[in-house]
Amino acid sequence: MLTASVVLEPSFTVGPVNRRLFGGFVEHMGRCVYTGLYEPGHPLADEDGFRTDVLDLIRELGISVVRYPGGNFVSGYRWEDSVGPAEDRPTRLDPAWRSVESNQFGLDEFIRWCRKSDIEPMLAMNLGTRGTQEAVELWEYCNHPGGTSWSDLRRRHGAAEPYGVRMWCLGNEMDGPWQLGHKSADEYGRLAATTARALRQFDAGLELVACGSSHRQMPTFGSWEATVLEHAYDEVDFISAHAYYEDKGDTASFLASSVNMDLFITDVVATADFVRARLNKTKRINVSFDEWNVWYLSRVPGQDSPWQATPRISEDAYTLADAVVVGSMLITLLRHTDRVTSACLAQLVNTIAPIRTEPAGPAWRQATFYPFALTARHARGDVLRVEPTAPTYSTSLYGDVPVLDATATRDPDGGDITIFVLNRHQDEPVQLEVNTAALGPVGVQEAVALAGPDPSAANTEHDPNRVIPTPLHAEAQQGTLSVQLPPVSWACIRLGIRADTG
């Protein structure tokens, strides 16, 4: 049997767990909004047309912040289309997803939905086909109390109080040639800096996100971040990162996807710090990893598909293996909590999502729901600096990769510790020994795993509980926690301080 070891030392920390790491993403793509979040006439819809079964699942998922309305969608978005009386809103073509957009769910509905969900809104501005003036007007509509044209319009639309949106994305993936209004790094950097300076004239305390690279394989990766930050370093707080992974038949590499994510974060942070040093600044730029997930991009319809309202796009049934990869990426985000201080799982419902629905029908949890929900629920306090020792296996994309990855969090108030760990090996279990001596006497409060004989197993409308967390045997005694991790598994193990020393 393969063996691995971890040492937990409470004095070695990365930083506090930031609740914004457990964000989500809502884009007008496929059925994420319509018949996902919003379905007037559904038996479980509330007075605003929001599906209450979906609201309940999102609360269970533990989402803290939601980025809206895109994504590729935002680069052609006219936010004015989405406010005011629903019957007066125009229908538009959305070229990003070959969709017909009714604008029946818009900015005002999104803010109401966030408040019902107890979620912080994070809004993206269109810097593709629009610019600084429209961005300032959007801020005024959302955040100014009243007495001006745009703020009074919001009040006439029924929202007397400002929306108080603090975090704003200055465009989306502007490095991508697929993007409406695609720009060079110089063009975008100047526009982002100009827009940020304008916004700060109205509210200096906003948190602003500049577009980083759409993924680490972009030909301009690194140089894009450096150029954008050369222009906008003083004006922004975050640089964004986006990453999606899929199994293209090389499952060994797919299970190691978080290795690429880890390198991505390390390189973006290094680039931002290089610009900081070159410009002789003291402020540090953090990373907003505001799109990440498993996404079978190779299955997305092409640009020759017909125009239609709410097409079914990327409604994949996520597998156990997909869930293990999602769990591994959560471990990576926690490991970088000192610099990745915001992250958004893309997306929330139906489209590349942990939650699926059917029109007029049920909602259910995908396999990927569970690692996110358990991590959001139990990652509390500080992230410990964990350096696993484990054997490796060979991958075609990333070379030799450890079969095991892990991180841990510790609540300094109660002393409770949670370990998040996965076994990437497709055939072999891993016997893990965790040295807990520095924690004092501990006992196992709970241990669960996502595991099973079939890594391709998935939850469906008719079999919604095929992949769920199951109890995992773990023993803690004499300063050591022992647990056996099945092949292709992700686990959450909670430890508590014991009063005895037995």
Side-chain angles (χ1 to χ4, degrees):
M1 182 182 298
L2 301 176
T3 61
S5 63
V6 165
V7 177
L8 297 185
E9 171 51 68
S11 61
F12 295 165
T13 63
V14 179
V17 177
N18 193 310
R19 300 318 303 169
R20 278 182 175 168
L21 286 180
F22 306 111
F25 179 38
V26 167
E27 180 174 3
H28 287 249
M29 175 184 177
R31 295 194 308 116
C32 182
V33 172
Y34 303 109
T35 70
L37 302 181
Y38 177 76
E39 189 180 348
H42 188 279
L44 297 176
D46 66 11
E47 68 280 4
D48 289 313
F50 306 149
R51 286 187 57 154
T52 57
D53 54 347
V54 173
L55 278 169
D56 288 343
L57 287 174
I58 287 171
R59 294 186 188 104
E60 181 186 340
L61 191 59
I63 294 292
S64 57
V65 58
V66 169
R67 180 171 175 253
Y68 176 86
N72 294 352
F73 176 80
V74 79
S75 289
Y77 185 53
R78 294 194 285 187
W79 67 266
E80 306 94 317
D81 290 347
S82 75
V83 299
E87 62 272 17
D88 295 337
R89 297 181 190 177
T91 297
R92 304 283 189 194
L93 293 178
D94 166 38
W97 304 114
R98 300 284 294 181
S99 300
V100 178
E101 173 55 52
S102 69
N103 284 303
Q104 294 303 288
F105 181 101
L107 175 59
D108 295 329
E109 288 79 14
F110 173 68
I111 296 295
R112 284 202 297 276
W113 180 85
C114 283
R115 288 177 172 171
K116 285 188 176 184
S117 310
D118 194 24
I119 282 171
E120 177 188 1
M122 174 181 176
L123 291 182
M125 294 170 161
N126 177 1
L127 293 189
T129 60
R130 311 190 86 183
T132 301
Q133 183 62 46
E134 292 86 355
V136 167
E137 291 169 354
L138 173 58
W139 173 88
E140 184 181 318
Y141 181 90
C142 289
N143 284 8
H144 193 66
T148 67
S149 175
W150 291 111
S151 60
D152 284 348
L153 182 63
R154 182 199 68 242
R155 294 172 66 90
R156 289 198 298 274
H157 291 161
E161 296 301 317
Y163 292 155
V165 181
R166 307 308 305 160
M167 198 167 182
W168 297 83
C169 299
L170 302 173
N172 174 75
E173 293 186 0
M174 299 311 301
D175 63 327
W178 58 86
Q179 205 73 217
L180 277 177
H182 162 65
K183 294 171 175 59
S184 70
D186 266 319
E187 291 169 329
Y188 170 71
R190 287 194 296 269
L191 177 58
T194 298
T195 304
R197 280 192 292 270
L199 289 166
R200 293 201 188 282
Q201 291 185 43
F202 296 92
D203 186 345
L206 297 177
E207 297 176 70
L208 303 179
V209 185
C211 291
S213 294
S214 302
H215 52 80
R216 191 171 180 269
Q217 286 69 44
M218 290 294 290
T220 55
F221 173 61
S223 63
W224 172 277
E225 282 80 359
T227 301
V228 168
L229 290 176
E230 287 274 351
H231 289 289
Y233 198 95
D234 286 336
E235 282 71 43
V236 302
D237 306 285
F238 300 85
I239 188 82
S240 72
H242 294 175
Y244 297 102
Y245 302 94
E246 66 178 300
D247 188 348
K248 297 180 179 180
D250 180 3
T251 302
S253 293
F254 174 62
L255 290 168
S257 295
S258 62
V259 171
N260 179 271
M261 187 189 211
D262 188 272
L263 288 172
F264 193 177
I265 294 168
T266 300
D267 289 347
V268 171
V269 168
T271 305
D273 286 350
F274 162 76
V275 178
R276 180 182 67 86
R278 206 201 69 74
L279 298 178
N280 196 24
K281 304 294 183 180
T282 56
K283 179 181 81 171
R284 292 187 184 273
I285 298 292
N286 287 328
V287 177
S288 176
F289 218 118
D290 45 43
E291 289 187 33
W292 68 271
N293 204 346
V294 171
W295 184 8
Y296 288 86
L297 274 159
S298 58
R299 305 173 189 171
V300 175
Q303 284 298 303
D304 57 350
S305 57
W307 295 96
Q308 55 184 308
T310 61
R312 289 180 180 257
I313 300 174
S314 296
E315 296 192 12
D316 296 302
Y318 280 126
T319 66
L320 168 60
D322 295 331
V324 170
V325 171
V326 165
S328 73
M329 289 191 278
L330 287 161
I331 288 172
T332 296
L333 291 170
L334 285 170
R335 182 183 293 122
H336 291 278
T337 190
D338 57 331
R339 296 300 293 273
V340 181
T341 53
S342 176
C344 300
L345 177 71
Q347 296 183 21
L348 277 185
V349 189
N350 287 327
T351 302
I352 53 174
I355 298 167
R356 287 283 305 277
T357 71
E358 280 298 318
W364 66 95
R365 303 166 188 83
Q366 294 241 61
T368 55
F369 182 99
Y370 295 103
F372 191 101
L374 287 166
T375 306
R377 184 180 311 149
H378 296 305
R380 291 288 187 272
D382 296 320
V383 179
L384 301 186
R385 195 171 297 280
V386 175
E387 302 288 346
T389 300
T392 62
Y393 73 103
S394 178
T395 72
S396 60
L397 292 182
Y398 310 119
D400 292 340
V401 172
V403 298
L404 177 138
D405 197 10
T407 193
T409 62
R410 178 177 178 270
D411 184 347
D413 295 328
D416 291 350
I417 298 95
T418 304
I419 303 167
F420 305 99
V421 59
L422 73 141
N423 176 10
R424 296 183 172 111
H425 204 285
Q426 296 181 73
D427 305 307
E428 296 289 336
V430 172
Q431 181 64 36
L432 174 63
E433 303 292 321
V434 182
N435 185 328
T436 62
L439 303 173
V442 297
V444 177
Q445 294 182 337
E446 181 185 28
V448 296
L450 282 172
D454 182 6
S456 66
N459 296 339
T460 64
E461 177 184 0
H462 302 295
D463 191 1
N465 296 312
R466 187 178 179 191
V467 181
I468 60 173
T470 55
L472 179 70
H473 179 70
E475 292 184 354
Q477 54 185 349
Q478 298 180 339
T480 300
L481 170 72
S482 300
V483 60
Q484 187 179 121
L485 302 169
V488 190
S489 66
W490 176 92
C492 172
I493 304 164
R494 297 173 54 227
L495 306 176
I497 302 299
R498 285 196 323 220
D500 64 285
T501 57

